[in-house]
Amino acid sequence: MLNRIDKKFKELRKQGKKAFIPFVMAGDPSLAITKKLIFELAKQGADIIELGVPFSDPIADGPTIQKASERGLKSKTTLTRVFNLVRNARLQIQTPIVFLIYYNLVFHYGLERFVNSAVSSGIDGVVIPDLPPEESKGLCKIAKKNKFSIIHLLAPTSSIDRIKKVSSASSGFIYYVSLTGTTGARKKLPKKLGASLKNIKNMAKIPICVGFGISTKEQVREVQKAADGAIIGSAIVKIIEKNIGKKDLVKKVGNFVRNIKGA
């Protein structure tokens, strides 16, 4: 039996399409607004929604998402509250939802308890930026039993050996970091992106989605030519940041996503 992520990629392949994956931080600026954003992202055609869980030391993230994480913590967003948020959202939408979370939170919650809570809440997979495949065997074993995806990261600096390890340890899709450094919108994507993805595709058996640095419709189109999906985070988070306290915050995010999805 396939989970929602696998079903989505199967459906997209049949249609000759690629995935569009927007990111928002839970609790930025409040959990009530996050819930509205999830519904809006689904309405505007997000294929998968990536939902960040606030953490005090988000080492893979640039200033934009770091500030979003701080706002999430200020709004008293906890892992349990994010589980409840998704559980309630699942009453209305079936769009696959993936957590982006740091390992400290998963470890302290308990690996088996985390997977069980995630699955029962309606979360389909998890990206843990600071968990290498060598250290993920215990979590992967629990996840496999529950048809829960563990999505590992690859980077432009990844060796052939690393690509093979990540490919065999990952499920759902592989998250390819388009550039070295932290998250954040960039004016240009790396010139060797297409060639790098081609090499990985020759070794990986699951879809590859690209994140970090993607912020425009043109960049999404460029990424989708070579990859199975494009992930946009910082560009969306900036819109949220600029519109905190304004009535049309959710609408502005929706307009941006609709415009990008049109690519």
Side-chain angles (χ1 to χ4, degrees), residues 60 127-130 133 151-155 158 162 166 170 174-177 212:
V127 181
I128 307 176
D130 56 347
I151 299 151
H152 286 290
L153 287 84
L154 279 173
S158 298
R162 169 64 39 177
V166 166
S170 297
I174 292 168
Y175 191 128
Y176 182 78
V177 176
F212 283 50

Side-chain angles (χ1 to χ4, degrees), residues 92-166:
Q92 295 181 54
I93 64 161
Q94 285 303 307
T95 306
I97 296 174
V98 166
F99 267 2
L100 187 140
I101 188 171
Y102 285 86
Y103 187 63
N104 187 288
L105 294 172
V106 177
F107 179 77
H108 280 280
Y109 196 83
L111 303 189
E112 193 153 2
R113 184 180 168 221
F114 172 79
V115 173
N116 289 338
S117 295
V119 171
S120 66
S121 302
I123 297 142
D124 305 289
V126 65
V127 181
I128 307 176
D130 56 347
L131 180 68
E134 294 89 345
E135 303 296 328
S136 70
K137 288 174 185 174
L139 183 62
C140 286
K141 192 176 178 183
I142 298 162
K144 193 174 181 180
K145 284 191 287 185
N146 290 275
K147 295 180 176 61
F148 183 71
S149 297
I150 305 295
I151 299 151
H152 286 290
L153 287 84
L154 279 173
T157 52
S158 298
S159 64
I160 289 173
D161 181 55
R162 169 64 39 177
I163 292 167
K164 287 177 180 175
K165 276 183 182 173
V166 166

